[in-house]
Every structure is written in structure tokens, then in C-alpha cells.
């Protein structure tokens, strides 16, 4: 009981290596997010979806969509609706803590105890919000919450790009430093091999996109979007190896550009998988009221390849948000994360005593912005909600799930924003020579 209701360090007593209190708290909040994601995945499984109509108050026979009275088949898209309500519950949970933790400066603030402890009660709060979410009347909720999910997912994709750029720069710097210190050419060979694999995979993916998502006649949108992103990826790759860029940033190179290119091609693929034209989108999923949870035929599966890849990227990026501390001051400022040395004494004491425990490293200042961290998890909850539902939304009659063009353009615009962001990291030292971009 003391571990569940007390501080985060108690959770790791005698079971884990010495760890920072700030890291433990972030991992536990991330665990709550993953737990909600697991519940969402279970609810969208066809066998479970058939049983959701038994939940009292979850599905009503009629509702109001934007003020228009409609009659809704109770058995239609219950898994889809359940994922939306689970996403709403997780978003509300993290928004609550984001509001509570505004302007917390150190663990001496009384609110820091709420951030780093009382985990059992936090779990109860999440369960309570989830139960309440399933009593939200059907009708306008799904249609309106779809747009909240679109905006949140767009922002989280940009956060993923920031983390990816930071990871790529750190990766390149580490291997180049190892190559310089050991005077071994193997590190340079490894850099070349990884870069070649990334670019080869990207080129193969582009060819497949042209083959499967375009036609010799028609599918103009797909051809244009693939071509634009191909050109933009070529531009950022060329810029990354220009002599002036190399002088300003010696660690900049094709490894980072190849990783950004590969991610951009993935986002392009994910966008094309939402094109609402069957002839141009072989992975388009169509469900109507005849394919509802009450039907005898198995439901159309929602586990298409873009969603699976998106789920894996979501897990990796969310874990990275929880444990990361960038080597780059500019990234730390952007992500409102900066590990301090406040807990050095606690770490030394833990090592000397031989105890396996967490220690408080935030007595003199927080290691990360509590509010921003919760907002990141809020956006992550919205992103996984949209990913598990394939960015589909019901039509006005709530009888058919469709893939809107909104999803396509949000993903494409996020890929463009990510490429521009990476391009800015390359040219910023030249544009603003008086600023420190070390």
C-alpha cells in the first residue's frame, strides 16, 4: 500500500538499479498510456466488439448529430466508438494533470508529490474517467472528437519528427566520436552501410507506392504527393552535405537525412492509405451497417500495415519521451527537458550504500516540464486513437465509416512540416550566425 500511495522511488525499492525519481515517474505515466492503448486494442478485436453492446448506456438507439436527430444502429462500429471513448478518457486524464502541474519548479512544491506518488489513486482516477466516458451519449461525440484527434495527431507527428531528428544527430555524433577515438574505420563503414540501407529501403518503398497507389490513368493526387515528397527528400539530402553546411555543422550528414527520408516515406504511405478512392487505394477499408458487430460475418480487420508500423513508432517515441535527455541544448529547450545535476548526491549515496532504489533528483529544480510532458502524452493518446481507427470517421448518418481527405492532408502537411524543420536545423547556423547551435 505504501508503494502504491507513496512516492515513485518506493516502487523501485530493492527491485531495480538506482534510478532517477523523474525517470520513474515518467515511465509510470507512460505505463498508464500503454495500458489504455492495450484496452483500446482489445476493444477493437471483432470478438470483443460483438459484446460491447451489452455495456449499459454505451450504445443508444438514437442520438443527435450536430443538432439533427438520427436513428443509429446500436451494433454499428462499437469497437470504433469504444476506442474513441478510451482515447477521450486518456486525454482527459493527462489534461487534468497538465493543469494541476502548471509552474511546478522543484520537488519541494507540494504538487510534486502528486506527480511522483499516489499511483493507486491515479489509477482509480483513470478508471473512473474511463467508465464515465462510456456513458457519454452517442451522437455528435464521435463526429466532433474526430477533429480533436486530427489536430492532436498532427502535433504528435511533429513531436515524433523532433525526437527523430535529435536521435539521428545523436546517433551520428556517437559513431563519429567512436571512430575518431578508436581510429577504426569500422565505424565509418557502419555509418555508410546503415545510410545505404535507409536510402535503399526508401527508394524501394517509393517504387511500391507508385505501383500500388497510382494508376497509369488517374490517381493524380497520389502521383503528385509521392513526387513532391521524393523531391523534398532529395533536396534535404543534398543540402545536408553541402560544404557550408558541413563547416557549420561537422556532424551533419547523410545518416540523419536518410532516416528523415525513410520516416517521410512512411508518413506518405500512411497518407495514401487514407485516400478515399478504391481504385487508387488497394488498402481502403469499407464498413457499413451491414458489417456491424451484430452481423454473422467476421468484421473487416483494422490491422493494416500502416497502422501496425504507426503503433510501433508510437511505442518507441513515447518511451523516448519518458527516458530521454538530449545532448543538444537547443532540443532540450524545444522539448522543455533539461536534466540537472541536482540529484548527483542522491545517486552517489545510493551507490555507496549498495541499495537498488530511486532517488530524488529534482530538489533544486525539475528535470522536465511536468505540464509539457502530460501534454505530450495527451497528444500521444489522440494519435494512437486515430491510428487504431485508421483515421476513419462515420458519415452523417452514422451508418458508414469513411476515410476522409482530411486525414490525407493532415499527414502530408505533417511530413512537409517535418522536412522543413529538419532543413531549418541544417541552415539555422548560417542564417543566425550569432546564436549557439552547438
Amino acid at each position: 500500500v505504501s508503494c502504491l500511495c507513496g512516492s515513485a522511488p518506493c516502487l523501485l525499492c530493492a527491485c531495480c538499479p538506482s534510478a532517477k525519481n523523474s525517470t520513474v515517474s515518467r515511465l509510470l505515466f507512460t505505463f498508464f498510456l500503454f495500458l489504455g492503448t492495450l484496452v483500446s486494442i482489445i476493444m477493437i478485436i471483432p470478438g470483443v466488439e460483438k459484446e460491447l453492446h451489452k455495456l449499459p448506456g454505451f450504445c443508444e438507439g438514437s442520438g443527435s448529430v450536430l443538432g439533427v436527430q438520427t436513428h443509429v444502429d446500436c451494433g454499428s462500429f462499437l469497437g470504433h466508438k469504444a476506442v474513441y471513448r478510451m482515447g477521450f478518457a486518456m486525454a482527459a486524464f493527462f489534461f487534468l494533470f497538465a493543469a494541476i502541474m502548471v509552474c511546478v519548479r522543484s520537488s519541494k512544491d507540494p504538487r510534486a508529490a502528486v506527480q511522483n506518488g499516489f499511483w493507486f489513486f491515479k489509477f482509480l482516477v483513470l478508471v473512473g474517467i474511463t467508465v464515465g466516458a462510456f456513458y457519454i451519449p452517442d451522437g455528435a461525440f464521435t463526429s466532433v472528437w474526430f477533429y480533436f484527434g486530427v489536430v492532436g495527431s498532427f502535433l504528435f507527428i511533429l513531436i515524433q519528427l523532433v525526437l527523430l531528428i535529435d536521435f539521428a544527430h545523436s546517433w551520428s555524433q556517437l559513431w563519429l566520436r567512436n571512430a575518431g577515438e578508436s581510429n577504426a574505420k569500422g565505424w565509418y563503414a557502419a555509418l555508410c552501410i546503415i545510410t545505404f540501407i535507409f536510402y535503399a529501403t526508401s527508394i524501394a518503398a517509393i517504387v511500391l507506392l507508385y505501383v500500388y497507389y497510382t494508376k497509369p490513368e488517374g490517381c493524380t493526387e497520389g502521383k503528385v504527393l509521392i513526387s513532391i515528397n521524393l523531391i523534398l527528400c532529395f533536396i534535404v539530402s543534398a543540402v545536408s552535405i553541402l560544404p557550408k553546411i558541413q563547416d557549420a555543422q561537422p556532424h551533419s550528414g547523410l545518416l540523419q537525412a536518410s532516416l528523415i527520408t525513410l520516416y517521410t516515406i512512411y508518413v506518405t504511405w500512411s497518407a495514401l492509405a487514407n485516400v478515399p478512392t478504391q481504385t487508387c487505394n488497394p488498402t481502403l477499408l469499407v464498413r457499413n451497417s451491414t458489417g456491424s458487430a451484430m452481423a454473422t460475418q467476421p468484421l473487416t480487420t483494422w490491422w493494416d500495415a500502416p497502422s501496425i508500423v504507426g503503433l510501433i513508432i508510437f511505442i518507441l517515441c513515447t518511451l523516448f519521451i519518458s527516458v530521454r535527455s538530449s545532448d543538444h541544448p537547443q532540443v532540450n529547450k524545444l522539448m522543455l527537458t533539461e536534466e540537472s545535476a541536482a540529484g548527483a548526491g542522491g545517486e552517489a549515496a545510493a551507490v555507496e550504500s549498495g541499495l537498488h532504489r530511486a532517488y530524488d533528483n529534482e530538489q533544486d529544480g525539475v528535470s522536465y516540464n511536468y505540464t509539457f510532458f502530460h501534454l505530450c502524452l495527451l497528444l500521444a493518446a489522440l494519435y494512437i486513437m486515430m491510428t487504431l481507427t485508421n483515421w476513419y470517421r462515420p458519415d452523417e448518418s452514422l451508418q458508414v465509416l469513411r476515410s476522409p481527405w482530411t486525414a490525407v492532408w493532415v499527414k502530408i502537411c505533417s511530413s512537409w512540416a517535418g522536412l522543413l524543420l529538419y532543413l531549418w536545423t541544417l541552415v539555422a547556423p548560417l542564417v543566425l550566425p550569432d546564436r549557439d547551435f552547438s
Side-chain angles (χ1 to χ4, degrees):
V1 174
S2 62
C3 281
L4 291 175
C5 302
S7 61
C10 185
L11 289 172
L12 294 189
C13 289
C15 64
C16 292
S18 175
K20 299 176 181 178
N21 187 53
S22 60
T23 303
V24 175
S25 296
R26 282 181 281 183
L27 286 174
L28 288 173
F29 275 112
T30 303
F31 170 76
F32 283 168
L33 177 63
F34 287 166
L35 183 63
T37 302
L38 179 61
V39 173
S40 298
I41 293 174
I42 293 174
M43 287 181 173
I44 210 170
I45 295 175
V48 177
E49 185 180 13
K50 293 179 181 179
E51 303 298 323
L52 290 177
H53 70 280
K54 297 179 181 179
L55 293 177
F58 175 47
C59 189
E60 303 293 340
S62 63
S64 173
V65 182
L66 303 179
V68 179
Q69 291 295 325
T70 61
H71 295 280
V72 184
D73 178 10
C74 185
S76 298
F77 323 128
L78 288 185
H80 185 278
K81 297 174 185 177
V83 172
Y84 266 58
R85 280 160 174 76
M86 195 66 221
F88 173 81
M90 291 190 293
F93 175 78
F94 292 118
F95 179 79
L96 173 64
F97 280 93
I100 293 175
M101 298 300 159
V102 172
C103 296
V104 175
R105 302 300 182 189
S106 73
S107 60
K108 297 177 182 178
D109 191 306
R111 291 175 293 169
V114 179
Q115 170 77 5
N116 299 316
F118 303 101
W119 297 102
F120 178 70
F121 296 109
K122 291 175 183 175
F123 178 74
L124 292 182
V125 170
L126 179 58
V127 171
I129 296 176
T130 302
V131 173
F134 278 82
Y135 282 90
I136 297 176
D138 209 348
F141 172 78
T142 303
S143 300
V144 174
W145 192 242
F146 168 82
Y147 292 101
F148 280 90
V150 166
V151 175
S153 299
F154 174 81
L155 296 176
F156 187 73
I157 291 175
L158 294 184
I159 291 177
Q160 286 182 334
L161 260 297
V162 172
L163 297 176
L164 191 65
I165 293 171
D166 177 37
F167 173 75
H169 280 295
S170 299
W171 186 2
S172 177
Q173 288 184 12
L174 176 63
W175 283 19
L176 289 175
R177 183 166 60 249
N178 291 340
E181 293 175 355
S182 63
N183 197 25
K185 297 182 179 180
W187 291 105
Y188 294 109
L191 278 173
C192 294
I193 292 173
I194 294 297
T195 301
F196 174 79
I197 292 175
F198 285 164
Y199 273 123
T201 305
S202 300
I203 293 173
I206 290 173
V207 173
L208 292 176
L209 291 181
Y210 275 117
V211 171
Y212 288 101
Y213 290 91
T214 64
K215 300 294 181 182
E217 297 180 0
C219 303
T220 305
E221 298 88 350
K223 296 176 183 177
V224 171
L225 295 178
I226 297 172
S227 301
I228 290 177
N229 278 2
L230 174 60
I231 295 172
L232 292 177
C233 289
F234 177 79
I235 291 175
V236 297
S237 298
V239 171
S240 67
I241 56 175
L242 290 177
K244 290 186 177 180
I245 299 296
Q246 291 290 310
D247 292 338
Q249 296 194 69
H251 293 101
S252 174
L254 289 178
L255 176 63
Q256 299 94 313
S258 64
L259 188 57
I260 299 302
T261 297
L262 184 60
Y263 184 79
T264 300
I265 300 305
Y266 157 71
V267 176
T268 306
W269 173 36
S270 180
L272 294 176
N274 279 108
V275 172
T277 306
Q278 190 73 55
T279 56
C280 302
N281 181 8
T283 59
L284 182 66
L285 303 175
V286 179
R287 283 182 58 185
N288 52 35
S289 58
T290 60
S292 67
M294 304 301 293
T296 57
Q297 296 297 325
L299 293 177
T300 304
T301 178
W302 293 104
W303 297 105
D304 62 338
S307 295
I308 295 175
V309 176
L311 180 62
I312 295 173
I313 295 176
F314 154 79
I315 293 174
L316 295 177
C317 286
T318 307
L319 286 174
F320 195 41
I321 291 173
S322 301
V323 301
R324 68 176 296 282
S325 176
S326 176
D327 296 330
H328 301 85
Q330 298 300 326
V331 177
N332 280 328
K333 291 179 181 179
L334 182 62
M335 297 297 295
L336 301 181
T337 304
E338 189 164 359
E339 295 288 350
S340 63
E347 182 178 13
V351 173
E352 291 177 1
S353 63
L355 296 177
H356 297 285
R357 63 182 182 86
Y359 61 92
D360 185 1
N361 64 315
E362 298 183 306
Q363 293 180 356
D364 297 332
V366 296
S367 297
Y368 61 100
N369 186 295
Y370 290 171
T371 295
F372 184 79
F373 171 72
H374 288 297
L375 290 178
C376 286
L377 294 188
L378 185 158
L379 298 178
L382 295 176
Y383 173 81
I384 197 61
M385 178 187 75
M386 300 303 294
T387 299
L388 292 179
T389 58
N390 287 74
W391 296 65
Y392 283 32
R393 66 178 176 88
D395 64 356
E396 290 75 9
S397 64
L398 295 185
Q399 298 300 311
V400 179
L401 278 180
R402 300 186 184 277
S403 178
W405 276 103
T406 304
V408 178
W409 287 111
V410 166
K411 293 179 180 180
I412 289 297
C413 290
S414 66
S415 70
W416 293 342
L419 288 171
L420 290 176
L421 182 62
Y422 174 64
L423 184 62
W424 171 250
T425 65
L426 296 176
V427 303
L430 300 178
V431 178
L432 302 173
D434 297 331
R435 294 189 58 181
D436 179 21
F437 290 94
S438 60

